[in-house]
Amino acid sequence: MPTPVVIDCDPGVDDAIALLLALASPVLDVRGVTTVAGNVSLTDVDRNAAHVLDLGGAPAELPLVSGLAGPITRTSRLRDEPMHGVGGLGGLVPDSPPRAFTPGHAVDWLAERALESPGELTLVAIGPLSNVAAMLARHPEAGPAFREIVIMGGAAFAQGNVTPAAEFNFHADPEAARYVLESGLPMRIVGLDVTRAALYPLSEAEHLAGLPGTAGVAGELLRAYAVRYLERFGVPAVPVHDALAVAAVGHPDLIGWEEGSASVECAGELTRGALVADLRTPDRARNVRVGRTVDADAFSTLLTEGIARHRTDLAP
């Protein structure tokens, strides 16, 4: 049976591709989507999420719930992540008004869904962990009701992408990330250690861009994303961070996992937002599984095939 998931996201190109991959996946059952400010402002994130669900042919009744507009302990958020282009989707703007949002707040909605189906739902968190931390604090009974939490964030043994120590999602709200990681709930972390080892080729993005329908729109997003990465780093391929986290829910064998203890640095002048993972000390509580290796070819194939399933869908 497909794995029931709810996805907390901040679209962003890689979030958009992750959502399209999830909607097309025969092994995932998307029960709802929540939004959080991150790659761009909450206003842009909300618009982008609604647009992507429309592009992906998501049922009109699929819940889409808006969440927090910034970090849980600070009044301002990081500046927009420039890799994602204008508005977070490289300038792609819908021609028509997007779907309506579900009433309520993401923090409460997530808790309600978990408590309705204890032990069933996997929470896939691919943006800053503000919503998730607030949910665990406001509704402590809801956390254990999730089957597990799969997180895209952190760089345990690799350099960060915002600072040398920190990855964007964790750096955007370190206090939230620390609170979630220290909650003791079952969770897996898909960080830069594996997303940078599973680069998606520009040639594959160009192939998708030539397909009809939504697949072609997604291909254009990926192509532009990969071109920006090429211009910045000189590599004709790009890490599609959030799509790898979604893929790992339905295909956990894509990634080699190691158990350990983990937290997030919040006070360091140079290391704020850094994921600190200990996979060696045997007498420390092992609270997470951290991705260490990845089958990059299998991921590229899965992503291409998943997005290509959208080629018959309507696109603006």
Side-chain angles (χ1 to χ4, degrees):
M1 295 291 292
T3 299
V5 298
V6 290
I7 301 175
D8 187 60
C9 60
D10 64 328
V13 173
D14 56 333
D15 301 75
I17 299 303
L19 287 173
L20 292 173
L21 181 63
L23 291 170
S25 174
V27 297
L28 298 180
D29 175 13
V30 181
R31 299 285 181 87
V33 173
T34 56
T35 61
V36 62
N39 288 315
V40 287
S41 70
L42 186 63
T43 298
D44 287 339
V45 160
D46 283 351
R47 180 200 63 228
N48 293 346
H51 184 38
V52 171
L53 292 183
D54 286 343
L55 275 175
E61 64 272 16
L62 182 74
L64 173 61
V65 194
S66 184
L68 289 172
I72 59 173
T73 63
R74 290 180 286 120
T75 57
S76 61
R77 64 180 188 87
L78 293 179
R79 62 184 178 85
D80 292 350
E81 167 51 52
M83 275 294 293
H84 297 269
V86 177
L89 291 183
L92 178 65
V93 178
D95 294 329
S96 57
R99 64 181 55 214
F101 272 72
T102 302
H105 195 282
V107 169
D108 303 312
W109 184 90
L110 287 169
E112 291 164 3
R113 297 296 79 72
L115 292 169
E116 283 178 355
S117 307
E120 181 180 353
L121 285 176
T122 292
L123 171 56
V124 188
I126 54 178
L129 290 171
S130 312
N131 284 341
V132 182
M135 177 201 65
L136 296 179
R138 187 181 299 177
H139 305 282
E141 73 283 6
F146 282 101
R147 179 180 177 181
E148 70 169 338
I149 303 174
V150 177
I151 296 167
M152 191 282 122
F157 305 103
Q159 278 207 325
N161 58 0
V162 176
T163 72
E167 175 274 335
F168 178 85
N169 284 343
F170 281 14
H171 190 257
D173 197 343
E175 287 78 14
R178 183 169 191 165
Y179 192 87
V180 173
L181 264 60
E182 293 184 356
S183 67
L185 300 174
M187 65 186 68
R188 289 184 280 158
I189 297 177
V190 179
L192 300 185
D193 304 271
V194 286
T195 63
R196 284 203 186 120
L199 299 182
Y200 190 70
L202 174 59
S203 58
E204 285 295 300
E206 290 173 336
H207 162 71
L208 288 174
L211 296 178
T214 294
V217 176
E220 286 291 347
L221 284 174
L222 280 168
R223 185 196 63 77
Y225 193 45
V227 166
R228 286 192 289 274
Y229 201 82
L230 173 63
E231 292 171 349
R232 184 179 292 190
F233 300 108
V235 179
V238 64
V240 194
H241 308 284
D242 297 334
L244 180 58
V246 164
V249 178
H251 303 272
D253 291 344
L254 279 174
I255 292 177
W257 309 93
E258 288 191 42
E259 290 188 344
S261 61
S263 188
V264 176
E265 175 58 52
C266 294
E269 180 181 356
L270 301 178
T271 57
R272 179 171 167 80
L275 170 62
V276 181
D278 182 355
L279 307 181
R280 297 189 177 187
T281 307
D283 57 350
R284 295 192 66 180
R286 294 178 176 267
N287 61 324
V288 298
R289 287 188 289 162
V290 178
R292 295 299 308 277
T293 61
V294 60
D295 187 334
D297 290 339
F299 170 64
S300 290
T301 298
L302 189 151
L303 182 56
T304 297
E305 292 178 349
I307 297 301
R309 292 191 185 100
H310 288 287
R311 62 185 175 272
T312 57
D313 291 349
L314 295 176

